[in-house]
Amino acid sequence: MKKPQRTKKQHFVPVGYLKLFSADQRNIGVCDKKSGDIRLQNISDTGFEKNLYTSRQHADPLDRSPVPELESEVLSIIKTVESRGSVLPRGLGVLLNFIVLQYLRTPAMREKLESTHQLFWRELRSRYKSTKPEQKVFLKKAEDIAKSFITEQNIKGITPQEFLSQDFDVFYPTEDFPRSIPLHGLKIAQLLSTQKWEFLFAPNGNEFLTNDNPFSVFPKEETPYVQPTTADVTKLIPLSKKLCLAIGGKKSKIRTKEMLPWAVNVINLGLADRAKRYIYASNKALLEDVLKNLPFFQKTPQKFIPKES
């Protein structure tokens, strides 16, 4: 049987998504926070890593059905919201799945999951030094300890669509990054579905940017795993250059809000601060302005908020 070919460019930021932040659907402005370099480059050469999703179980699971279909369908939903159109509950479920997938698929999340995996097994070995790893009881104890790594939540509200697959045969942190995505996706989707959603619109003459980790948490999470997705922190997910989604709060509501220029600027600085390394925008001027102000924002973010607000 012929083995499936592996995709060389494994995009953790989808090409179709980046086009929503582009001025011409082909190129996008890129700022490297590490070097300070700002350039325009082809979208297909942006937001990817080689072998990011290489798995022992299967080849490139995020480049195969149903992920491409999800990435394609969500674009029309984002454009509908952007034009102030109404979206059916199923459409919101598709958007929710896309958001969760984007949260879990980045290099930043891979580093977090790898760190969690190492911490988990280090803790396990320290507690059960006399237990041999090959014994079945070892795995049972692993499941018991795993409960302290995944915070239990009371899930209420409408259950979202099935997230990719429900692979619950592994109860402890897995070192297989692609497998961890469907493993945690459904639960995170359920958590986010019970919180307040607020669609934020940029005024004329202003745009949102995005980054290589476009699920930004405020304040910054200090612990890995589920805590960043709970209601007591705000999640900002830029959806296009004219639309950003804020999720947070314990009451399940959907609202829209027209943003003032200074608020868009604050959001962009926050998104730039949360970027792992790369910031993306439709033009170099926006990136230059953000890069210039970012050090001051990181020291005193309150100075960027007008007193009358």
Side-chain angles (χ1 to χ4, degrees):
M1 184 177 176
K2 189 177 180 181
K3 293 183 178 179
Q5 289 187 338
R6 294 184 182 275
T7 304
K8 292 182 179 180
K9 288 185 178 181
Q10 298 173 345
H11 284 84
F12 55 88
V13 184
V15 170
Y17 168 79
L18 286 175
K19 287 182 178 180
L20 298 175
F21 296 85
S22 170
D24 60 8
Q25 302 289 296
R26 295 188 303 274
N27 301 293
I28 195 164
V30 179
C31 174
D32 185 338
K33 287 173 61 178
K34 185 175 181 180
S35 66
D37 177 55
I38 297 176
R39 62 189 181 276
L40 284 176
Q41 69 182 38
N42 192 285
I43 289 176
S44 64
D45 296 324
T46 305
F48 75 92
E49 275 193 18
K50 292 183 178 180
N51 299 318
L52 177 63
Y53 306 125
T54 299
S55 166
R56 293 193 301 272
Q57 276 73 30
H58 38 249
D60 307 342
L62 299 190
D63 291 307
R64 305 172 74 175
S65 183
V67 174
E69 290 85 348
L70 173 65
E71 293 175 351
S72 176
E73 187 175 4
V74 78
L75 299 181
S76 63
I77 294 169
I78 291 174
K79 291 176 181 178
T80 298
V81 177
E82 190 180 79
S83 62
R84 273 66 167 184
S86 60
V87 179
L88 296 174
R90 183 190 174 280
L92 293 174
V94 171
L95 179 58
L96 172 62
N97 284 357
F98 176 78
I99 289 167
V100 174
L101 175 59
Q102 194 54 60
Y103 173 58
L104 291 169
R105 71 188 297 178
T106 63
M109 178 54 70
R110 181 180 63 180
E111 290 181 5
K112 184 181 295 186
L113 290 173
E114 287 174 348
S115 174
T116 300
H117 179 265
Q118 294 170 3
L119 177 64
F120 170 78
W121 286 107
R122 188 162 59 245
E123 174 69 13
L124 183 64
R125 292 189 180 98
S126 68
R127 291 194 192 188
Y128 302 101
K129 294 179 180 179
S130 61
T131 305
K132 294 182 179 180
E134 61 270 17
Q135 295 177 337
K136 291 184 178 180
V137 68
F138 185 77
L139 292 179
K140 178 61 175 67
K141 292 176 178 178
E143 294 174 16
D144 293 339
I145 294 181
K147 293 178 182 178
S148 65
F149 282 80
I150 304 177
T151 304
E152 294 297 327
Q153 300 288 334
N154 294 320
I155 306 300
K156 297 180 179 179
I158 299 173
T159 301
Q161 297 179 42
E162 180 178 320
F163 182 82
L164 302 183
S165 66
Q166 297 182 39
D167 183 8
F168 292 118
D169 60 323
V170 176
F171 294 93
Y172 46 86
T174 173
E175 62 181 343
D176 187 354
F177 177 52
R179 196 179 187 191
S180 71
I181 294 173
L183 177 65
H184 301 295
L186 182 64
K187 183 162 188 174
I188 293 174
Q190 288 174 324
L191 288 169
L192 297 182
S193 71
T194 64
Q195 299 174 26
K196 183 177 72 174
W197 287 31
E198 198 164 35
F199 289 102
L200 312 177
F201 294 91
N204 292 334
N206 296 90
E207 294 181 358
F208 293 111
L209 53 75
T210 188
N211 59 37
D212 56 1
N213 188 33
F215 185 105
S216 300
V217 178
F218 300 84
K220 285 184 178 180
E221 68 271 24
E222 298 297 332
T223 56
Y225 259 62
V226 176
Q227 284 82 354
T229 63
T230 53
D232 57 345
V233 294
T234 298
K235 283 73 64 177
L236 286 178
I237 305 98
L239 298 177
S240 75
K241 57 188 175 185
K242 302 303 292 183
L243 180 66
C244 184
L245 174 60
I247 300 178
K250 296 181 180 180
K251 292 185 178 181
S252 180
K253 294 181 180 179
I254 298 177
R255 296 179 177 176
T256 61
K257 186 175 183 180
E258 304 292 330
M259 305 303 290
L260 294 173
W262 69 263
V264 175
N265 182 48
V266 170
I267 289 174
N268 282 340
L269 287 167
L271 294 171
D273 181 50
R274 298 303 193 267
K276 186 175 187 291
R277 180 170 176 176
Y278 296 105
I279 311 166
Y280 310 125
S282 68
N283 61 83
K284 294 172 66 175
L286 175 56
L287 293 172
E288 289 168 353
D289 183 66
V290 167
L291 189 63
K292 179 182 69 175
N293 288 299
L294 186 56
F296 304 103
F297 175 81
Q298 290 170 330
K299 290 180 180 179
T300 53
Q302 64 275 12
K303 288 188 178 181
F304 289 81
I305 301 175
K307 291 182 179 179
E308 59 271 18
S309 65

